[in-house]
mmCIF file of all heavy atoms in Angstrom:
data_model
loop_
_atom_site.group_PDB
_atom_site.id
_atom_site.type_symbol
_atom_site.label_atom_id
_atom_site.label_comp_id
_atom_site.label_asym_id
_atom_site.label_seq_id
_atom_site.Cartn_x
_atom_site.Cartn_y
_atom_site.Cartn_z
ATOM 1 N N LEU A 142 2.226 11.750 -15.717
ATOM 2 C CA LEU A 142 2.160 12.882 -16.645
ATOM 3 C C LEU A 142 3.535 13.404 -17.043
ATOM 4 O O LEU A 142 3.652 14.185 -17.990
ATOM 5 C CB LEU A 142 1.287 14.000 -16.078
ATOM 6 C CG LEU A 142 -0.223 13.775 -16.255
ATOM 7 C CD1 LEU A 142 -1.006 14.957 -15.692
ATOM 8 C CD2 LEU A 142 -0.600 13.537 -17.719
ATOM 9 N N LEU A 143 4.583 12.959 -16.346
ATOM 10 C CA LEU A 143 5.942 13.331 -16.782
ATOM 11 C C LEU A 143 6.284 12.638 -18.098
ATOM 12 O O LEU A 143 7.282 12.954 -18.740
ATOM 13 C CB LEU A 143 6.973 12.968 -15.710
ATOM 14 C CG LEU A 143 6.821 13.709 -14.377
ATOM 15 C CD1 LEU A 143 7.807 13.159 -13.353
ATOM 16 C CD2 LEU A 143 7.025 15.207 -14.559
ATOM 17 N N MET A 144 5.458 11.672 -18.505
ATOM 18 C CA MET A 144 5.608 11.020 -19.811
ATOM 19 C C MET A 144 5.070 11.915 -20.937
ATOM 20 O O MET A 144 5.361 11.702 -22.097
ATOM 21 C CB MET A 144 4.804 9.710 -19.852
ATOM 22 C CG MET A 144 5.268 8.633 -18.900
ATOM 23 S SD MET A 144 6.698 7.747 -19.550
ATOM 24 C CE MET A 144 5.943 6.786 -20.876
ATOM 25 N N ASN A 145 4.219 12.875 -20.559
ATOM 26 C CA ASN A 145 3.606 13.758 -21.552
ATOM 27 C C ASN A 145 4.551 14.931 -21.834
ATOM 28 O O ASN A 145 4.901 15.676 -20.927
ATOM 29 C CB ASN A 145 2.273 14.263 -20.989
ATOM 30 C CG ASN A 145 1.583 15.231 -21.936
ATOM 31 O OD1 ASN A 145 2.006 16.372 -22.079
ATOM 32 N ND2 ASN A 145 0.538 14.768 -22.581
ATOM 33 N N PRO A 146 4.983 15.100 -23.100
ATOM 34 C CA PRO A 146 6.015 16.101 -23.390
ATOM 35 C C PRO A 146 5.649 17.522 -22.940
ATOM 36 O O PRO A 146 6.504 18.245 -22.436
ATOM 37 C CB PRO A 146 6.156 16.046 -24.916
ATOM 38 C CG PRO A 146 5.612 14.712 -25.309
ATOM 39 C CD PRO A 146 4.581 14.340 -24.296
ATOM 40 N N VAL A 147 4.395 17.913 -23.095
ATOM 41 C CA VAL A 147 4.016 19.289 -22.738
ATOM 42 C C VAL A 147 3.998 19.441 -21.220
ATOM 43 O O VAL A 147 4.537 20.402 -20.660
ATOM 44 C CB VAL A 147 2.638 19.659 -23.339
ATOM 45 C CG1 VAL A 147 2.264 21.080 -22.956
ATOM 46 C CG2 VAL A 147 2.664 19.495 -24.849
ATOM 47 N N PHE A 148 3.399 18.491 -20.538
ATOM 48 C CA PHE A 148 3.354 18.574 -19.078
ATOM 49 C C PHE A 148 4.755 18.456 -18.483
ATOM 50 O O PHE A 148 5.083 19.111 -17.494
ATOM 51 C CB PHE A 148 2.430 17.484 -18.516
ATOM 52 C CG PHE A 148 2.002 17.771 -17.107
ATOM 53 C CD1 PHE A 148 0.941 18.634 -16.855
ATOM 54 C CD2 PHE A 148 2.675 17.204 -16.037
ATOM 55 C CE1 PHE A 148 0.557 18.925 -15.552
ATOM 56 C CE2 PHE A 148 2.298 17.490 -14.731
ATOM 57 C CZ PHE A 148 1.230 18.346 -14.486
ATOM 58 N N ALA A 149 5.582 17.646 -19.112
ATOM 59 C CA ALA A 149 6.972 17.491 -18.645
ATOM 60 C C ALA A 149 7.698 18.832 -18.698
ATOM 61 O O ALA A 149 8.439 19.191 -17.775
ATOM 62 C CB ALA A 149 7.695 16.460 -19.519
ATOM 63 N N ASP A 150 7.452 19.608 -19.767
ATOM 64 C CA ASP A 150 8.066 20.936 -19.883
ATOM 65 C C ASP A 150 7.490 21.897 -18.843
ATOM 66 O O ASP A 150 8.192 22.743 -18.299
ATOM 67 C CB ASP A 150 7.836 21.522 -21.291
ATOM 68 C CG ASP A 150 8.698 20.828 -22.345
ATOM 69 O OD1 ASP A 150 9.603 20.059 -21.963
ATOM 70 O OD2 ASP A 150 8.450 21.053 -23.547
ATOM 71 N N TYR A 151 6.188 21.778 -18.595
ATOM 72 C CA TYR A 151 5.540 22.636 -17.604
ATOM 73 C C TYR A 151 6.178 22.436 -16.227
ATOM 74 O O TYR A 151 6.456 23.394 -15.504
ATOM 75 C CB TYR A 151 4.037 22.314 -17.554
ATOM 76 C CG TYR A 151 3.284 23.045 -16.458
ATOM 77 C CD1 TYR A 151 3.053 24.422 -16.544
ATOM 78 C CD2 TYR A 151 2.796 22.365 -15.345
ATOM 79 C CE1 TYR A 151 2.359 25.093 -15.541
ATOM 80 C CE2 TYR A 151 2.103 23.029 -14.339
ATOM 81 C CZ TYR A 151 1.887 24.394 -14.443
ATOM 82 O OH TYR A 151 1.203 25.055 -13.446
ATOM 83 N N MET A 152 6.433 21.194 -15.873
ATOM 84 C CA MET A 152 7.013 20.908 -14.556
ATOM 85 C C MET A 152 8.429 21.471 -14.434
ATOM 86 O O MET A 152 8.815 21.981 -13.388
ATOM 87 C CB MET A 152 7.025 19.394 -14.298
ATOM 88 C CG MET A 152 5.653 18.796 -14.098
ATOM 89 S SD MET A 152 4.809 19.430 -12.621
ATOM 90 C CE MET A 152 5.658 18.488 -11.355
ATOM 91 N N GLU A 153 9.186 21.377 -15.512
ATOM 92 C CA GLU A 153 10.538 21.953 -15.473
ATOM 93 C C GLU A 153 10.450 23.480 -15.333
ATOM 94 O O GLU A 153 11.168 24.093 -14.526
ATOM 95 C CB GLU A 153 11.306 21.588 -16.750
ATOM 96 C CG GLU A 153 12.729 22.133 -16.718
ATOM 97 C CD GLU A 153 13.404 22.166 -18.089
ATOM 98 O OE1 GLU A 153 13.140 21.272 -18.915
ATOM 99 O OE2 GLU A 153 14.202 23.094 -18.319
ATOM 100 N N ALA A 154 9.546 24.082 -16.110
ATOM 101 C CA ALA A 154 9.382 25.546 -16.052
ATOM 102 C C ALA A 154 8.942 25.962 -14.652
ATOM 103 O O ALA A 154 9.366 27.001 -14.136
ATOM 104 C CB ALA A 154 8.365 25.998 -17.100
ATOM 105 N N TYR A 155 8.095 25.149 -14.035
ATOM 106 C CA TYR A 155 7.650 25.469 -12.678
ATOM 107 C C TYR A 155 8.841 25.474 -11.714
ATOM 108 O O TYR A 155 8.949 26.343 -10.846
ATOM 109 C CB TYR A 155 6.577 24.473 -12.195
ATOM 110 C CG TYR A 155 6.001 24.919 -10.870
ATOM 111 C CD1 TYR A 155 4.905 25.772 -10.825
ATOM 112 C CD2 TYR A 155 6.603 24.550 -9.665
ATOM 113 C CE1 TYR A 155 4.418 26.243 -9.617
ATOM 114 C CE2 TYR A 155 6.123 25.012 -8.454
ATOM 115 C CZ TYR A 155 5.027 25.854 -8.435
ATOM 116 O OH TYR A 155 4.561 26.328 -7.237
ATOM 117 N N GLY A 156 9.721 24.507 -11.883
ATOM 118 C CA GLY A 156 10.911 24.460 -11.027
ATOM 119 C C GLY A 156 11.756 25.714 -11.173
ATOM 120 O O GLY A 156 12.216 26.295 -10.191
#
Side-chain angles (χ1 to χ4, degrees):
L142 280 181
L143 297 174
M144 295 280 288
N145 178 287
V147 180
F148 198 82
D150 287 349
Y151 174 71
M152 291 296 282
E153 182 197 326
Y155 187 89

